[in-house]
Amino acid sequence: MKSNILSVDNLHVSFKTQAGRVTAVRGVTFGLKKGETLAIVGESGSGKSVTARSIMRLLPKNNTEVTKGDIVYEDRSLLNVSIKDMQEIRGAEISMVFQDPMTSLNPTMKVGKQIMEGLQKHQKLSKAQARERALEMLQLVGIPSAEARLEDYPHNFSGGMRQRVVIAMALVCNPKVLIADEPTTALDVTIQAQILDLMKDLQKKMDTAIILITHDLGVVANMADRVAVMYAGKIVEQGTLDEIFYNPQHPYTLGLLKSMPKLNDDRTVPLLPIPGSPPDLATIGEGCAFAARCPHTMKVCHSFTPEDTVVDGEHTVACWLQDTRTPKEYLPKELETSQSR
């Protein structure tokens, strides 16, 4: 069994605001193995991007604090390495594709120079060598007339092509870990499929581990090996792709799946949105954060935070319905599990 190349252990991240301290990430734990894709899914505001930026140490220093936990990359704590060492790791060993490719690129610099920067910094290549490698990457990500496009500025590219440039920048130094934060959000369906196929192809060639952050379960089904479902700063369920899609054990996970259209569904059957809104993390109290929106809530849900329960193997869920101390008759049929009680 492969060991984790990256591990996040009980991570807590807080922000100082005018309304007081807001804990955006509350005890997140997961591991990432070499060559696999872990999808982190959840509604906006669930803490997905904060978790990713914590790994890269890209959160603002003046109002952000990691109050508990650790992030370990190849036996090194990323929270304890120096700023200089972290700069060496970023891009060379851990890279990130951000949500909006236009804001990720410098509008005043040619794309060729932007791709070459990482090579010259991390691999100490000459300008000619870096240019040759940048050209190879543009060709690899499927940009036509790649040599001429090296001299273009970001505004000369379409949204899909800019996203390809951003992926080329992220992968040019052959990083061991790629964090893709909503990499296809602003793209149409056709370009989205091309980008996802491109990422899978490059992953096979480079054996890169990917953390895919998204709210689109269709993207997850196409890309992921394992899935972590986040809600209100916590991972509420985690397992393989099949376990999450075909044996969901948390009411929130089930709600996400019910709100997703399926190709083989009867179109007369309406989609079922999750009622209510995510909680305000500045005022969140004890108990399960999903209790106010859950159709199966119990008295204990409002008073005590559920701990992780092992469903099977690496499939875990943080829900009182699945706790071994909860009487079996409380468990609704749609969330029945094979675990013994």
Side-chain angles (χ1 to χ4, degrees), residues 108-165:
T108 67
M109 290 175 61
K110 296 175 181 179
V111 297
K113 186 174 181 181
Q114 295 188 57
I115 298 172
M116 290 162 58
E117 270 189 330
L119 293 165
Q120 291 175 295
K121 175 178 174 59
H122 296 298
Q123 299 186 2
K124 312 302 180 187
L125 299 185
S126 66
K127 185 176 180 180
Q129 291 172 324
R131 181 181 174 83
E132 183 178 348
R133 175 63 177 152
L135 176 60
E136 289 176 3
M137 283 305 301
L138 285 188
Q139 292 170 337
L140 191 61
V141 298
I143 292 182
S145 306
E147 188 164 8
R149 302 311 301 265
L150 285 172
E151 302 300 318
D152 283 341
Y153 291 91
H155 69 266
N156 297 127
F157 291 79
S158 66
M161 288 298 172
R162 281 198 295 267
Q163 194 67 301
R164 290 170 185 262
V165 170

Side-chain angles (χ1 to χ4, degrees), residues 206-239:
M206 300 179 179
D207 202 22
T208 303
I210 296 177
I211 296 177
L212 177 66
I213 296 171
T214 183
H215 61 266
D216 188 334
L217 292 176
V219 172
V220 174
N222 190 24
M223 285 285 294
D225 299 306
R226 290 190 301 116
V227 183
V229 181
M230 282 192 76
Y231 185 78
K234 294 178 70 72
I235 291 179
V236 296
E237 187 168 5
Q238 189 169 184

Side-chain angles (χ1 to χ4, degrees), residues 84 96 106 113 138 171 227 248 276 293 300 332:
K84 183 178 179 181
M96 187 166 179
N106 187 330
K113 186 174 181 181
L138 285 188
L171 294 174
V227 183
R293 306 172 71 187
V300 69

Side-chain angles (χ1 to χ4, degrees), residues 313-333:
E314 295 186 12
H315 187 186
T316 61
V317 59
C319 178
W320 283 115
L321 290 169
Q322 306 292 354
D323 191 280
T324 54
R325 293 165 291 184
T326 302
K328 191 173 182 179
E329 57 266 26
Y330 281 83
L331 188 66
K333 287 186 177 181

Side-chain angles (χ1 to χ4, degrees), residues 170-199:
L171 294 174
V172 72
C173 293
N174 297 332
K176 297 177 182 178
V177 177
L178 174 68
I179 302 173
D181 188 359
E182 303 277 10
T184 59
T185 296
L187 306 178
D188 61 59
V189 175
T190 304
I191 302 301
Q192 182 182 95
Q194 292 175 4
I195 294 295
L196 294 177
D197 288 342
L198 170 64
M199 289 177 64

